[in-house]
């Protein structure tokens, strides 16, 4: 299990593409924790739509306390064997999680 942590603030322009790139992964054993750091644009609405359609997507809301606090909040919530950080304006290739997981497992990685 990989927990993907995405801290964000006002990212309505890119978060959809980011989430879609995660959902298209070959590796399916993941949860997504999106830590909304007090967004004031349409980001919360977009996140709610995705969370309703996919039970692996969990939204954590907090007052604006900046990215470091949001990342730490995500770490507190994570329960998977591995944690993967992603920025809300990033997107990933379809095989990234599978490759990372296999590499970590084959080398007994602890980080």
């Amino acid at each position: 299990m990989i927990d993907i942590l995405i801290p964000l603030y006002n990212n309505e322009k890119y978060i959809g593409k980011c989430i879609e790139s995660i959902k298209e992964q070959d590796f399916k054993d993941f949860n997504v924790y999106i830590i909304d750091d007090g967004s004031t644009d349409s980001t919360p609405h977009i996140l709610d739509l995705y969370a309703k359609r996919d039970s692996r997507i969990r939204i954590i809301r907090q007052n604006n306390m900046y990215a470091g606090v949001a990342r730490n909040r995500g770490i507190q919530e994570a329960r998977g064997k591995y944690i993967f950080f992603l920025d809300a304006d990033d997107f990933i290739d379809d095989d990234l999680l599978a490759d990372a997981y296999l590499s970590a497992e084959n080398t007994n990685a602890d980080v």
Side-chain angles (χ1 to χ4, degrees):
M1 168 75 69
I2 298 175
D3 285 341
I4 302 166
L5 307 182
I6 307 172
L8 61 75
Y9 175 78
N10 287 349
N11 205 282
E12 65 188 8
K13 186 174 179 181
Y14 298 106
I15 190 59
K17 185 172 182 178
C18 177
I19 293 171
E20 289 299 328
S21 76
I22 295 167
K23 290 175 60 176
E24 293 172 4
Q25 290 297 296
D26 298 334
F27 185 88
K28 301 295 185 192
D29 190 17
F30 63 81
N31 285 312
V32 181
Y33 294 87
I34 303 174
I35 306 90
D36 182 0
D37 195 33
S39 292
T40 58
D41 63 0
S42 66
T43 297
H45 175 70
I46 295 167
L47 297 178
D48 288 342
L49 292 174
Y50 276 101
K52 285 179 185 174
R53 289 185 269 172
D54 192 327
S55 63
R56 298 173 296 178
I57 299 173
R58 299 178 177 124
I59 311 304
I60 301 164
R61 291 193 165 86
Q62 65 182 32
N63 292 328
N64 184 248
M65 294 186 271
Y66 305 104
V69 175
R71 286 181 188 274
N72 288 338
R73 176 80 186 275
I75 291 170
Q76 291 172 349
E77 298 290 330
R79 301 289 176 257
K81 184 172 183 179
Y82 299 106
I83 293 174
F84 183 84
F85 285 102
L86 192 60
D87 289 333
D89 59 353
D90 292 339
F91 58 94
I92 54 179
D93 290 334
D94 296 351
D95 58 354
L96 185 131
L97 292 181
D99 289 348
Y101 184 83
L102 288 174
S103 179
E105 288 291 295
N106 289 337
T107 61
N108 294 316
D110 61 355
V111 222

